[in-house]
Amino acid sequence: MGLWSGLKAFWHWLRHGSGHGVAELARRLGCDVATLNAVRPTYREVLLPKRSGGQRRLCVPDEDLKMMQRRILQRLFRRLRCHPAVTGFQRGESIVTHARRHAGRAVVVRLDLKDFFPSTGAGRIYHYFRNIGWNRPAARLLTRLCTHLDGLPQGAPTSPRLSNLVNFRLDCRLAAMACKLGACYSRYADDLTLSFAVDDRKLIRYFIRFARRVAADEGYAVHGRKKLLIRRRHQQQRVTGLVVNERVQLPRATRRWLRAVEHHHRTGRASTLTSAQLAGWRALQQMIDAQAVDPVREEQVRAELAAFQGAWLLVAVEEKGKSLTGDQLPASPADRVWVFKEDRLHFRREGASVEARYWPDPTARPKTVALTLTSGPGEGMTTVGLYALEQDTLRLCLAWHGKRPTDFTTAGDSACVLLVLKRAAPGAVAQDSNPVQM
């Protein structure tokens, strides 16, 4: 009897695989197995005009299927984890929080995936369900209920969330490469957004090629030059329709148009928007105002800026893994003084006074800093690097050429320089050696 039971269990495993079965799936969805199997995937096609021209094809499920998909979304998908780089269709995220990640950057790059939902194949969906613990029949049933024409139907309640879950590997690879190269990556549905602190054309081209390769590995194709947008500081940088050059806000033309509409409504003149439509625009503006700044991150940056303030003395320099000796350090006391005042840095380089803007990011691990020379030798040059601020010692590992360093080392072929500064005691820096008046 024991042998027969073992053979039956082995045969069941061969047929169904490991994991939860259809009965458990029905229990979690609050129905019986017969009701679950009776649901027939039926869709109707709806064409909607795009703002950019053309039409968007939606596959809208019938009422029974839609009700079941909503149960699947709420009871199965809600607690599953997406990659932190994903902002579309995520609780607590919006077009504003997505755009906020790329505000104030030197370069913003946007790529668009072709036919995103239909290209998310049913095979990948099935394997995802198997990987999260469903056996073969349950995974096949879930795949049948959530896919249409061998892909995710655009218009089904489950498709947005499922597209985020199944693309964890894509987001993980792109986010890891972004971190390595000192860039920022996020995804909102089919929009891939990359932003860089430094305008390094070679680095940007490499990342775009890498993103295309990673997308192809997951079954996607990236739109060509028509939808590849690269915007620098002197251009209007947009992310999910919002301008991010300095801070997140509506485009200037849109803000002016809304002011004109508000004036027409106040004066009783004809307007291009109804009162209900105008209320929707007001709600959008309120959301932007509320979410444009991350309060937690801003507080951390303010605290870090406060810790930087004051005069610092350069005490050690390391290049190519070797520390410079005393006679190789700047001979003049003035050339060894660095003064941080608000978000500005003053020091001397090659005997000339230099001013720079710096942006510390204490939320990164390790902490990062971007520095742009605004006057003096090398004006306009931007460097990225790491910093460690411990009591009265500041270590800066800067890459004046090349990608952001990943640790505080200059050995090998590294193009980085490691600077060690000590906080100057009040009155310790001579007045004639201080490059700026505090």
Side-chain angles (χ1 to χ4, degrees):
M1 188 68 181
L3 177 61
W4 178 246
S5 299
L7 288 173
K8 286 178 63 178
F10 180 67
W11 176 248
H12 184 274
W13 177 82
L14 285 178
R15 290 189 60 193
H16 302 293
S18 60
H20 299 297
V22 175
E24 174 63 16
L25 176 62
R27 186 191 70 79
R28 294 190 185 188
L29 295 178
C31 63
D32 55 50
V33 174
T35 301
L36 191 58
N37 285 320
V39 178
R40 292 290 175 262
T42 306
Y43 296 84
R44 60 185 175 88
E45 188 174 292
V46 176
L47 297 178
L48 297 178
K50 295 182 180 179
R51 288 188 301 175
S52 57
Q55 292 182 319
R56 187 185 309 278
R57 186 169 72 91
L58 300 183
C59 294
V60 181
D62 65 11
E63 290 305 316
D64 290 341
L65 178 59
K66 185 182 293 186
M67 181 183 69
M68 186 59 67
Q69 288 175 341
R70 284 174 176 162
R71 285 192 184 188
I72 293 172
L73 177 64
Q74 293 296 321
R75 301 189 182 196
L76 299 185
F77 295 167
R78 185 175 60 180
R79 294 185 180 181
L80 297 177
R81 187 166 63 94
C82 298
H83 194 276
V86 178
T87 57
F89 321 114
Q90 291 291 102
R91 180 175 296 182
E93 301 283 358
S94 68
I95 60 171
V96 184
T97 60
H98 175 65
R100 189 174 68 195
R101 303 184 183 204
H102 306 282
R105 307 282 282 179
V107 184
V108 175
V109 180
R110 287 174 49 207
L111 301 98
D112 188 76
L113 300 178
K114 293 181 181 178
D115 301 323
F116 177 63
F117 287 107
S119 296
T120 307
R124 293 180 63 206
I125 303 301
Y126 170 80
H127 287 297
Y128 174 77
F129 288 139
R130 291 285 288 125
N131 289 335
I132 62 174
W134 297 104
N135 68 13
R136 294 191 191 100
R140 284 195 293 266
L141 180 56
L142 280 169
T143 303
R144 181 171 65 87
L145 294 173
C146 295
T147 62
H148 178 59
L149 299 177
D150 201 38
L152 290 179
Q154 188 170 2
T158 50
S159 292
R161 177 70 172 161
L162 194 50
S163 70
N164 288 343
L165 294 169
V166 79
N167 279 305
F168 189 96
R169 184 171 62 179
L170 176 143
D171 297 316
C172 187
R173 292 178 66 186
L174 290 177
M177 181 58 73
C179 181
K180 182 177 180 180
L181 301 182
C184 176
Y185 161 76
S186 65
R187 180 173 63 83
Y188 194 99
D190 58 348
D191 287 334
L192 311 181
T193 304
L194 313 166
S195 59
F196 301 81
V198 179
D199 188 0
D200 187 327
R201 294 175 184 269
K202 183 178 179 181
L203 198 67
I204 294 169
R205 286 195 298 268
Y206 172 80
F207 207 147
I208 292 173
R209 289 195 299 268
F210 178 79
R212 291 181 186 277
R213 188 165 64 249
V214 170
D217 290 343
E218 303 300 328
Y220 299 112
V222 178
H223 278 284
R225 294 181 178 274
K226 183 178 179 181
K227 291 193 175 183
L228 171 61
L229 299 178
I230 303 176
R231 294 292 182 265
R232 294 174 168 82
R233 289 190 188 277
H234 66 279
Q235 301 168 306
Q236 190 181 75
Q237 299 170 329
R238 287 199 191 190
V239 177
T240 50
L242 303 174
V243 177
V244 296
N245 288 69
E246 296 295 335
R247 60 183 297 271
V248 180
Q249 57 186 338
L250 288 169
R252 181 179 299 175
T254 304
R255 298 198 305 270
R256 289 176 174 172
W257 169 69
L258 284 176
R259 285 197 295 268
V261 171
E262 291 275 10
H263 178 72
H264 282 206
H265 273 261
R266 285 195 303 269
T267 57
R269 298 167 61 186
S271 173
T272 56
L273 294 180
T274 65
S275 298
Q277 291 171 329
L278 181 58
W281 278 99
R282 288 170 179 162
L284 174 61
Q285 184 62 64
Q286 291 172 358
M287 182 179 73
I288 294 172
D289 293 339
Q291 299 180 3
V293 176
D294 183 349
V296 175
R297 184 178 183 278
E298 286 296 306
E299 182 61 32
Q300 291 176 318
V301 172
R302 280 196 294 268
E304 204 74 345
L305 285 173
F308 271 88
Q309 302 304 292
W312 298 75
L313 296 177
L314 180 65
V315 297
V317 180
E318 179 182 299
E319 291 181 334
K320 301 293 184 183
K322 297 181 180 180
S323 297
L324 302 187
T325 59
D327 58 345
Q328 292 175 310
L329 294 174
S332 170
D335 289 343
R336 294 197 296 268
V337 179
W338 288 40
V339 178
F340 293 88
K341 187 175 183 181
E342 297 177 350
D343 64 344
R344 300 283 176 170
L345 166 62
H346 304 264
F347 61 99
R348 295 182 67 84
R349 185 182 185 189
E350 300 173 4
S353 180
V354 176
E355 181 178 289
R357 288 190 65 190
Y358 69 101
W359 298 270
D361 185 358
T363 63
R365 293 293 180 270
K367 297 179 180 180
T368 61
V369 64
L371 189 149
T372 299
L373 303 182
T374 56
S375 68
E379 181 178 352
M381 181 185 296
T382 298
T383 181
V384 291
L386 309 176
Y387 76 92
L389 181 57
E390 300 172 358
Q391 296 181 346
D392 291 334
T393 301
L394 172 63
R395 292 193 302 150
L396 295 169
C397 189
L398 302 176
W400 291 103
H401 305 284
K403 60 186 181 182
R404 187 195 300 273
T406 57
D407 53 29
F408 292 87
T409 181
T410 64
D413 296 329
S414 173
C416 302
V417 57
L418 178 62
L419 309 173
V420 180
L421 299 98
K422 292 286 187 179
R423 188 182 298 276
V429 179
Q431 185 72 22
D432 57 355
S433 67
N434 198 337
V436 63
Q437 301 295 323
M438 292 296 290

